[in-house]
Amino acid sequence: MNEGITRIYASTAVRARQTAEILARTLRVDVVQMQDLVEVGVGSSEGAIDPATRARTAAVLRSWIVDGDLREAVADGEDGHAVTTRIVAALTSIAAEHPGETVAVIGHVASLTTGLSALCGLGQRVWGAPLPHAVPFVVEYNGRSWQCSSWPF
């Protein structure tokens, strides 16, 4: 499934880099690590697995994606404005570097959903349909607008 992939971009998180390296060996392309592709920063709640933190995280993500309210944050972590800004900047930079080419981007469910929701106007349509792990889908940019027509529902 090469699809003519010319480069792979990956979050700097270990699991994303490992996935990218496996794909890169198979496709014989380079990997570029990007800090801006990391998962949502939750500050002092990083690593917490208690039900209250999970519920708060879900409520914040719903606020961002469904309600379009980017002011919320988990604990002292990033708000939706920060996440959206960095993911949109990363994807826009990648698209500008590769006009007319196909690249792979390996990131994380919450941050990519937040950024792609903003770029493609996904909103409530994708709530309850999180990005599955390691399932590729196409995002297209035509120089003016973004399309996420193949969101993996």
Side-chain angles (χ1 to χ4, degrees):
M1 183 199 96
N2 185 321
E3 299 295 322
I5 293 171
T6 58
R7 184 161 295 146
I8 299 170
Y9 288 84
S11 158
T12 55
V14 171
R15 65 187 184 277
R17 291 190 336 253
Q18 290 170 337
T19 301
E21 290 300 331
I22 292 167
L23 187 59
R25 279 193 303 275
T26 302
L27 299 177
R28 295 190 175 114
V29 298
D30 293 329
V31 175
V32 175
Q33 294 180 35
M34 291 185 78
Q35 178 64 33
D36 283 347
L37 292 174
V38 297
E39 186 57 290
V40 172
V42 294
S44 59
S45 290
E46 185 68 37
I49 58 171
D50 61 281
T53 301
R54 286 180 182 235
R56 174 66 183 152
T57 302
V60 167
L61 290 174
R62 185 185 192 293
S63 171
W64 296 350
I65 295 164
V66 176
D67 302 331
D69 182 355
L70 302 177
R71 297 173 296 174
E72 299 282 336
V74 177
D76 55 345
E78 293 178 289
D79 66 13
H81 292 288
V83 174
T84 300
T85 297
R86 73 175 165 78
I87 294 295
V88 166
L91 296 175
T92 301
S93 170
I94 291 167
E97 183 76 21
H98 299 278
E101 295 179 6
T102 300
V103 299
V105 175
I106 300 172
H108 307 278
V109 173
S111 60
L112 285 176
T113 300
T114 300
L116 290 170
S117 184
L119 287 171
C120 297
L122 299 172
Q124 190 167 350
R125 291 184 310 148
V126 298
W127 189 250
L131 291 172
H133 297 283
V135 174
F137 68 100
V138 176
V139 176
E140 296 178 289
Y141 179 65
N142 65 14
R144 292 180 313 241
S145 64
W146 294 82
Q147 299 294 320
C148 299
S149 56
S150 68
W151 190 268
F153 289 102

